[in-house]
């Protein structure tokens, strides 16, 4: 990893801000879209860029915000990578969010988030906190291939239960679903059953497939060659250089997914999930000058 001083830390609009404390990732997921060349990484993806002044920038930014809102992290790089264990930059930023009365939402695959469950609970009690966890496959052997350097699916499900016990709402990303690999009804239902048991509020799913573009496509195909001999050729014949790579079973699997979510009261439309995540509770908003 290497350290930089960033110029800014928050992006987005007043209703919801985003921040990425790190650039790059050490999880090694074979399908990672963040490897795509369009993101213009100037360093190797595994050489994590650490925005060492992120807490200072966040403190300054929140002092200038008149209205409180949700602040999200993890959209590009997991905020609980291995280096976070010693650097604690994500934890410091959560402390700042709590102190200023903002809400937080975190996207991760890592059980390291449990280290900060005290802060997440406090933020949720004071304003609002939503944890978003990615689940792709229920099969542990397959999980170790697809996401080799992060905790397995069963451990992530345990994390969801711990969060439920603390009253912290959760959203699951059922993504990506890889054609000819984890695109089975058995896999989808196993994940859905686990989500329901863990009290998940909603599930983000953009369809049963994945996206491939320059940069992540090459990395993904190299992984297919290593772990699934012959499957790369099947992809090339079926999809060419398509950006959206949908499972042949996509329509049926989506029917199963939607029916299950509706039956069990879980949000399933992406817009509904995102609206829930972004909504900051009105009772925590600062009064305007006209209200005093």
């Amino acid at each position: 990893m290497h350290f930089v001083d960033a110029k800014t830390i928050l992006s987005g609009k007043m209703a919801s801000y985003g921040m990425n404390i790190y650039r790059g990732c050490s999880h090694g997921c074979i399908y990672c879209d963040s490897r795509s060349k369009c993101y213009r990484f100037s360093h190797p993806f595994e050489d994590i860029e650490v925005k060492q002044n992120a807490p200072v920038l966040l403190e300054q930014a929140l002092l200038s915000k008149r209205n409180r809102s949700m602040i999200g992290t993890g959209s590009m790089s997991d905020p609980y990578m291995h280096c976070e264990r010693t650097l604690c930059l994500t934890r410091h930023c959560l402390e700042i969010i709590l102190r200023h009365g903002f809400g937080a939402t975190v996207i991760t695959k890592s059980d390291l988030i449990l280290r900060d469950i005290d802060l997440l609970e406090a933020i949720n009690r004071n304003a609002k906190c939503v944890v978003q966890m990615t689940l792709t496959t229920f099969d542990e052997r397959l999980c170790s291939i697809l996401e080799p350097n992060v905790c397995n699916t069963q451990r992530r499900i345990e994390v969801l239960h711990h969060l439920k016990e603390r009253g912290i709402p959760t959203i699951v990303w059922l993504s990506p679903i890889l054609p000819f690999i984890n695109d089975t009804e058995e896999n989808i239902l196993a994940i859905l059953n686990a989500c329901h048991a863990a009290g998940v509020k909603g599930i983000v799913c953009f369809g049963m497939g994945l996206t491939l573009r320059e940069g992540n496509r090459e990395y993904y195909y190299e992984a297919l060659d290593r772990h699934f001999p012959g499957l790369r050729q099947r992809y090339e014949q079926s999809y060419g250089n398509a950006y959206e790579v949908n499972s042949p079973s996509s329509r049926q699997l989506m029917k199963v997914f939607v029916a299950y979510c509706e039956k069990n009261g879980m949000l399933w439309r992406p817009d509904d999930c995102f609206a829930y995540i972004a909504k900051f509770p009105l009772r925590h908003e600062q009064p305007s000058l006209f209200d005093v």
Side-chain angles (χ1 to χ4, degrees), residues 13-50:
K13 300 179 180 179
M14 185 175 65
S16 182
Y17 296 100
M19 66 176 178
N20 284 293
I21 301 166
Y22 303 106
R23 289 197 77 214
C25 191
S26 57
H27 289 340
C29 303
I30 70 170
Y31 51 73
C32 182
D33 176 70
S34 293
R35 293 179 181 275
S36 300
K37 287 189 176 180
C38 62
Y39 298 119
R40 299 180 179 179
F41 274 80
S42 58
H43 56 87
F45 193 71
E46 286 78 12
D47 178 16
I48 311 303
E49 182 177 285
V50 179

Side-chain angles (χ1 to χ4, degrees), residues 29-39 178 210-226 231-246:
C29 303
I30 70 170
Y31 51 73
C32 182
D33 176 70
S34 293
R35 293 179 181 275
S36 300
K37 287 189 176 180
C38 62
Y39 298 119
L178 311 178
L210 79 158
T211 58
L212 293 176
R213 48 187 164 187
E214 188 179 6
N216 78 314
R217 179 185 291 108
E218 291 79 4
Y219 188 85
Y220 181 64
Y221 280 176
E222 288 173 6
L224 293 186
D225 287 338
R226 288 195 306 273
L231 191 53
R232 172 181 183 157
Q233 289 73 24
R234 191 173 181 185
Y235 267 73
E236 291 174 334
Q237 292 169 4
S238 300
Y239 306 109
N241 289 324
Y243 170 62
E244 294 186 3
V245 178
N246 294 315

Side-chain angles (χ1 to χ4, degrees), residues 45-281:
F45 193 71
E46 286 78 12
D47 178 16
I48 311 303
E49 182 177 285
V50 179
K51 299 177 184 178
Q52 60 187 351
N53 60 336
V56 173
L57 291 175
L58 182 61
E59 182 84 48
Q60 294 171 347
L62 297 192
L63 283 171
S64 69
K65 304 300 181 187
R66 184 175 172 185
N67 295 311
R68 298 183 178 98
S69 61
M70 297 295 289
I71 298 175
T73 187
S75 61
M76 283 293 295
S77 295
D78 197 312
Y80 286 103
M81 287 181 288
H82 305 85
C83 58
E84 169 62 21
R85 191 175 299 278
T86 55
L87 296 176
C88 296
L89 291 177
T90 298
R91 182 171 179 86
H92 293 332
C93 287
L94 290 174
E95 290 170 341
I96 293 166
I97 289 171
L98 173 62
R99 186 164 63 249
H100 288 278
F102 282 71
T105 181
V106 180
I107 305 174
T108 187
K109 292 186 178 83
S110 174
D111 58 350
L112 181 56
I113 194 172
L114 291 180
R115 180 200 65 186
D116 296 339
I117 198 168
D118 59 329
L119 287 172
L120 301 172
E121 183 179 24
I123 292 170
N124 192 52
R125 185 170 56 247
N126 189 49
K128 179 182 175 183
C129 179
V130 182
V131 172
Q132 303 175 60
M133 182 69 71
T134 300
L135 303 178
T136 61
T137 179
F138 203 76
D139 182 278
E140 294 305 294
R141 184 195 64 82
L142 186 55
C143 182
S144 69
I145 295 172
L146 304 184
E147 301 151 349
N149 303 326
V150 69
C151 67
N152 62 28
T153 300
Q154 294 305 318
R155 179 56 176 160
R156 291 179 224 172
I157 292 169
E158 290 176 9
V159 171
L160 292 172
H161 281 276
H162 284 300
L163 294 166
K164 177 186 177 183
E165 291 169 2
R166 297 294 193 101
I168 301 166
T170 54
I171 294 285
V172 160
W173 284 71
L174 182 61
S175 175
I177 300 301
L178 311 178
F180 319 120
I181 297 178
N182 63 341
D183 58 337
T184 66
E185 187 169 328
E186 178 185 14
N187 180 51
I188 301 303
L189 285 174
I191 293 174
L192 292 175
N193 285 331
C195 290
H196 179 52
V200 168
K201 178 72 177 179
I203 302 178
V204 176
C205 178
F206 289 103
M208 301 296 170
L210 79 158
T211 58
L212 293 176
R213 48 187 164 187
E214 188 179 6
N216 78 314
R217 179 185 291 108
E218 291 79 4
Y219 188 85
Y220 181 64
Y221 280 176
E222 288 173 6
L224 293 186
D225 287 338
R226 288 195 306 273
H227 301 291
F228 308 97
L231 191 53
R232 172 181 183 157
Q233 289 73 24
R234 191 173 181 185
Y235 267 73
E236 291 174 334
Q237 292 169 4
S238 300
Y239 306 109
N241 289 324
Y243 170 62
E244 294 186 3
V245 178
N246 294 315
S247 165
S249 306
S250 179
R251 181 170 297 182
Q252 175 58 27
L253 293 176
M254 282 302 295
K255 287 181 179 179
V256 171
F257 166 70
V258 172
Y260 189 100
C261 290
E262 290 189 340
K263 178 181 178 181
N264 292 284
M266 293 188 290
L267 301 175
W268 63 269
R269 293 181 179 87
D271 287 349
D272 292 341
C273 292
F274 296 144
Y276 171 76
I277 293 166
K279 184 174 176 57
F280 189 81

Side-chain angles (χ1 to χ4, degrees), residues 66-67 285-292:
R66 184 175 172 185
N67 295 311
E285 288 183 350
Q286 293 176 325
S288 72
L289 294 174
F290 300 102
D291 295 328
V292 274

